[in-house]
Amino acid sequence: MSKLLSVENLKTHFFTDKGVVKAVDGVSFSVEPGKTLGIVGESGCGKSITSMSIMRLIDKPGRIVEGDIFFENKNLVNLNQKEMRKIRGNDISMIFQEPMTSLNPVFKIGKQITEVLMLHQRIDKNEANKKAIEMLELVGIPRADQVVLDYPHQLSGGMRQRVMIAMALACQPKILIADEPTTALDVTIQAQILELMNDLKKKMNTAVILITHDLGVIANMADDVIVMYSGQVVEDAPVKELYANPIHPYTRGLLNSVPNLAEDKKRLDSVEGSVPNPLYLPEGCNFYPRCKYACEKCKTMKPQLIEVKKGHKVSCLMADSFVQDSPLRQERMSDNA
Amino acid sequence: MPKQLLEVRNLKKYFPVKSGFLKKTTSFVKAVDNISFKIDKGETLGLVGESGCGKTTVGRSILRLIEPTSGEVFFNDESILIKNKQAMRSLRRDMQIIFQDPYSSLNPRMTVSEIVGEALVAHKLYKKGKEVKDKVAEIVEICGLARYHMNRYPHQFSGGQRQRIGIARALALNPTFIVADEPVSALDVSIQSQILNLMMDLQESMGLGYLFISHDLSVVKHISHKIGVMYLGSLVELADKNELYNNPIHPYTRALLSVIPIPDPTIKKKSIQISGEIPSNVNVPKGCKFHTRCPMAKEICRTKTPEFKDIGNNHFVACHFASQNQCPWQQMNDEENNKPV
């Protein structure tokens, strides 16, 4: 299938007083229409900065220093603000993590949705209003015709997130970026929102980039997954392949450290240590200080993201030894048994 | 036989809602409404529920960090709600709390050794100076930090390390009971598992009893022996861990369990969607509190409050249809058993 969006070797750096923070450092991936790409990683790994870079929302002291973002034959990196504004909210739109803070508290819900519509679709106020009510009904808000007259504080967290989704989908974007859309919500509400997103994706054939730290959500929602660590992609694979045969030690550590309802474990595995300070990244592989399998060359050589199996890319110097019949892999299998 | 450590009977906490010029109390927020449970020595009771269901208020009421409206709390067979301030103070040696947010629960102007050692000095257990320092070093090392960390300030640590400081502070007085209020929800998964392992190790070596409050059912399942599910200020179900997860009775528990995303893309479980949101605890629905969202609600649920009773096997449920014979969702139960695991 053709690619809708492809990010190539994206580097977004922040030039702070203390030094250069390489928040995103050589990230590549692509998104296909109607598919969901999941981006997982811990806080500070660059997930959100990646999505903000696609939207070109990076403020000073940050800057995209290198790389390309191709969307429909256009390179988003080279567009000026005016051209970018046509794409933002129209072709690519975004849902933010905090439904509490991402709506403007002094405008009514209706006004906030019609603003997007009137800007991008050149329709008049009445039509936009009708469309806004339609969108709110689509995302399952009861008595939508009254909710448009409400202010954000009159709605609950789940409702606000629905409004955000309605707003993001108002112009029928080709790509929807959802940055931790359910993290601030309760599980029962999370289930409602995720199901809604899946329904809408099918109805509108929107491609979704889903950013989250919750491996359970990814397993249920994504078609493909990339795992990020310290600003880099460490593993990229289809979702079933990734959960069945994780290769990078970090991915395996992550998967094993989550308590799972479906199985009983006496003790959780954990990734020892913590994420390195982005100002002082290690010289070789970013993960080697926490890696159980690190060897001499990991300390000096930067690994590249290479395809080790069809559709499965890993950035690890030791990747070969982890694939298929390696003893380490069997050790993991026996650990789980 | 394990001995009973803590017993809570009919605990209630109502917060008054005041309005008008004279600030008259017009209604109450029933944050905790008639809760009873027991915790044995060395045992963990997990308390789960959605935000606003009163989990945290339960934890704080037990320690009397907020005064409960009514009810009784027995700690080592002593009623603690009647104790005066002084008696309470010495009792707090045995009861400690770990807070949710490791960023705001540590005083930024105190070093680690001051934070952890403060209680030791306040309770006059050790003399200020070297004695306290040595004791602090010992505790800090148990919690997985190094001796040289003692003179640093909280901002110099990562989230996981800060939570270790929070745990060290709670452990300083050698307590027998700890309320852990969402201790891992602010942490990343790889760090979360480190802290959970630490807490379980400490429980084993020091025989601690935990009241573990969390909204994450997978975490609670991992660490707890018994689990209580709360909804709108009341317990709806309480049972041993495996009993609860294998044989959930209350429709709310069943729905909660079914909507947790499992980190395995090959498992597609049928989720029971419950529509709507938690009602406000000022206008609690009459009858069964859950009837407004319950897929199986009948007439009786709207009028009569169900009793919280034992259906055998130490499995307590508050539902009119709890006895399994007349369980109207038995059918759903069977369907779900056919799912691949």
Side-chain angles (χ1 to χ4, degrees):
Chain A
M1 212 190 254
S2 64
K3 282 165 189 160
L4 185 60
L5 176 93
S6 92
V7 174
E8 281 162 28
N9 195 28
L10 179 73
K11 292 187 179 176
T12 305
H13 294 178
F14 286 80
F15 300 89
T16 64
D17 291 344
K18 287 182 183 162
V20 182
V21 175
K22 297 177 179 172
V24 177
D25 201 21
V27 165
S28 307
F29 60 87
S30 57
V31 187
E32 290 166 14
K35 295 270 172 147
T36 300
L37 172 79
I39 304 183
V40 259
E42 296 179 280
S43 39
C45 73
K47 314 183 286 285
S48 296
I49 300 297
T50 306
S51 64
M52 308 265 274
S53 303
I54 296 171
M55 295 291 271
R56 291 274 309 278
L57 289 172
I58 301 294
D59 267 336
K60 274 181 184 169
R63 185 154 56 83
I64 297 175
V65 291
E66 213 184 305
D68 303 297
I69 303 167
F70 293 108
F71 172 73
E72 294 189 322
N73 307 322
K74 276 177 281 200
N75 189 345
L76 299 187
V77 175
N78 299 329
L79 296 187
N80 62 31
Q81 280 303 331
K82 206 176 154 196
E83 291 167 316
M84 196 59 219
R85 209 171 297 146
K86 279 189 192 147
I87 291 178
R88 235 182 254 145
N90 196 22
D91 290 325
I92 308 179
S93 58
M94 192 157 174
I95 307 172
F96 297 91
Q97 173 168 5
E98 294 251 337
M100 315 292 158
T101 52
S102 40
L103 289 169
N104 192 329
V106 300
F107 290 115
K108 289 177 181 164
I109 300 293
K111 163 114 182 140
Q112 299 193 44
I113 302 177
T114 49
E115 188 187 3
V116 198
L117 286 163
M118 282 158 68
L119 184 72
H120 290 298
Q121 311 230 312
R122 301 237 174 86
I123 51 178
D124 67 32
K125 212 173 173 180
N126 281 332
E127 242 176 289
N129 219 351
K130 240 185 258 165
K131 184 90 204 266
I133 295 173
E134 225 171 82
M135 286 312 297
L136 289 177
E137 275 164 0
L138 186 71
V139 297
I141 290 183
R143 44 176 205 98
D145 49 332
Q146 288 157 44
V147 170
V148 286
L149 302 174
D150 282 347
Y151 287 94
H153 74 263
Q154 290 169 287
L155 303 178
S156 68
M159 287 294 224
R160 281 183 229 188
Q161 199 58 295
R162 282 171 197 264
V163 171
M164 281 298 295
I165 293 174
M167 205 189 292
L169 293 176
C171 297
Q172 311 222 331
K174 297 188 176 92
I175 300 177
L176 175 67
I177 301 175
D179 188 355
E180 306 256 12
T182 57
T183 308
L185 306 175
D186 281 316
V187 274
T188 55
I189 311 296
Q190 163 170 298
Q192 293 171 9
I193 297 287
L194 292 181
E195 187 158 298
L196 169 71
M197 283 177 59
N198 258 340
D199 277 357
L200 294 175
K201 187 181 87 176
K202 274 184 210 139
K203 259 185 221 161
M204 301 179 158
N205 202 32
T206 314
V208 179
I209 300 179
L210 177 68
I211 297 170
T212 176
H213 65 274
D214 188 329
L215 290 153
V217 170
I218 290 278
N220 286 295
M221 298 285 290
D223 299 299
D224 296 288
V225 185
I226 62 175
V227 182
M228 288 187 67
Y229 185 78
S230 280
Q232 292 174 332
V233 176
V234 295
E235 194 153 1
D236 178 349
V239 66
K240 283 188 181 157
E241 166 71 13
L242 186 88
Y243 282 76
N245 306 307
I247 294 177
H248 199 282
Y250 177 63
T251 314
R252 286 190 271 154
L254 267 191
L255 287 172
N256 286 336
S257 61
V258 196
N260 189 336
L261 273 189
E263 55 185 86
D264 261 318
K265 284 186 220 166
K266 270 270 164 308
R267 244 185 112 74
L268 296 169
D269 280 359
S270 56
V271 187
E272 291 304 322
S274 49
V275 184
N277 184 335
L279 280 172
Y280 312 103
L281 287 178
E283 200 182 314
C285 171
N286 283 344
F287 186 61
Y288 97 80
R290 298 176 76 187
C291 183
K292 275 191 268 187
Y293 310 109
C295 64
E296 273 311 306
K297 65 178 176 180
C298 300
K299 291 181 188 167
T300 49
M301 236 169 92
K302 284 250 182 264
Q304 299 292 320
L305 192 67
I306 43 171
E307 194 157 17
V308 289
K309 268 195 240 176
K310 198 174 176 299
H312 194 151
K313 294 182 202 158
V314 184
S315 156
C316 176
L317 295 171
M318 309 280 285
D320 289 341
S321 60
F322 297 143
V323 182
Q324 282 306 316
D325 301 301
S326 79
L328 291 169
R329 204 176 105 76
Q330 277 158 11
E331 177 198 301
R332 190 183 94 82
M333 301 296 275
S334 63
D335 275 357
N336 276 0
Chain B
M1 271 303 277
K3 223 184 125 219
Q4 179 177 309
L5 179 66
L6 182 91
E7 180 174 359
V8 174
R9 273 189 219 153
N10 305 331
L11 188 73
K12 286 183 189 170
K13 175 66 193 174
Y14 294 174
F15 293 101
V17 179
K18 295 183 175 163
S19 62
F21 175 65
L22 292 169
K23 298 276 177 238
K24 265 196 188 154
T25 302
T26 48
S27 53
F28 289 96
V29 173
K30 298 181 176 176
V32 176
D33 199 8
N34 220 351
I35 277 194
S36 310
F37 58 82
K38 291 174 189 170
I39 300 177
D40 286 339
K41 277 187 181 150
E43 186 185 58
T44 304
L45 173 76
L47 210 51
V48 286
E50 295 180 276
S51 45
C53 73
K55 313 182 287 284
T56 300
T57 311
V58 170
R60 297 193 173 191
S61 304
I62 291 172
L63 298 182
R64 285 182 71 190
L65 295 177
I66 43 182
E67 285 300 326
T69 309
S70 71
E72 283 172 293
V73 178
F74 294 93
F75 183 71
N76 284 333
D77 298 327
E78 281 179 88
S79 176
I80 65 168
L81 295 187
I82 49 168
K83 286 189 186 275
N84 62 21
K85 242 185 173 172
Q86 227 168 1
M88 204 54 219
R89 208 175 158 173
S90 62
L91 195 71
R92 288 223 172 86
R93 262 192 232 171
D94 289 324
M95 314 171 84
Q96 288 289 322
I97 183 165
I98 302 169
F99 293 98
Q100 170 170 11
D101 185 355
Y103 291 88
S104 60
S105 58
L106 301 174
N107 188 336
R109 291 176 169 227
M110 286 163 84
T111 63
V112 172
S113 80
E114 283 164 351
I115 291 171
V116 178
E118 191 183 19
L120 296 173
V121 178
H123 284 280
K124 302 198 174 75
L125 293 179
Y126 294 88
K127 277 202 205 93
K128 239 181 174 169
K130 197 175 175 308
E131 247 181 76
V132 169
K133 276 254 157 75
D134 284 346
K135 180 68 189 165
V136 170
E138 189 191 318
I139 300 160
V140 160
E141 273 165 12
I142 291 173
C143 295
L145 295 167
R147 206 173 238 272
Y148 62 80
H149 285 135
M150 281 169 50
N151 294 322
R152 295 195 185 168
Y153 289 90
H155 74 266
Q156 292 169 295
F157 294 92
S158 66
Q161 286 174 315
R162 283 178 201 219
Q163 201 54 294
R164 287 176 194 269
I165 300 171
I167 293 175
R169 173 173 62 185
L171 286 180
L173 294 168
N174 231 341
T176 47
F177 174 66
I178 291 183
V179 174
D181 188 0
E182 305 252 17
V184 295
S185 46
L187 305 175
D188 277 318
V189 275
S190 72
I191 310 297
Q192 172 179 308
S193 56
Q194 292 174 11
I195 299 294
L196 289 177
N197 284 340
L198 172 67
M199 287 184 66
M200 290 172 86
D201 290 345
L202 292 171
Q203 177 164 55
E204 209 161 285
S205 60
M206 304 169 76
L208 295 169
Y210 288 127
L211 175 68
F212 191 94
I213 299 168
S214 176
H215 64 276
D216 187 331
L217 281 115
S218 333
V219 168
V220 166
K221 182 192 178 195
H222 182 72
I223 197 165
S224 309
H225 302 105
K226 282 193 299 196
I227 294 172
V229 181
M230 280 184 77
Y231 186 75
L232 267 184
S234 305
L235 278 171
V236 295
E237 190 156 3
L238 175 71
D240 279 350
K241 165 168 82 176
N242 290 326
E243 170 75 11
L244 188 94
Y245 280 82
N246 297 333
N247 185 23
I249 302 284
H250 198 282
Y252 180 63
T253 315
R254 297 182 53 80
L256 262 192
L257 287 175
S258 80
V259 295
I260 300 166
I262 287 187
D264 184 344
T266 54
I267 298 178
K268 288 275 178 255
K269 51 176 187 174
K270 209 176 144 234
S271 67
I272 308 168
Q273 292 270 344
I274 43 176
S275 53
E277 290 163 21
I278 291 198
S280 125
N281 357 16
V282 181
N283 298 310
V284 177
K286 282 209 179 70
C288 172
K289 289 177 178 176
F290 187 58
H291 85 254
T292 52
R293 299 173 81 192
C294 183
M296 297 85 176
K298 297 254 164 31
E299 197 44 49
I300 183 173
C301 306
R302 285 181 195 103
T303 49
K304 203 173 151 219
T305 311
E307 235 178 286
F308 189 60
K309 59 185 178 214
D310 194 348
I311 57 158
N313 226 348
N314 264 331
H315 191 148
F316 290 84
V317 187
C319 178
H320 290 300
F321 304 102
S323 71
Q324 270 134 322
N325 305 338
Q326 40 174 316
C327 181
W329 49 93
Q330 197 65 46
Q331 212 180 337
M332 284 169 79
N333 210 346
D334 293 341
E335 267 169 40
E336 217 170 280
N337 284 343
N338 296 330
K339 75 180 175 194
V341 175

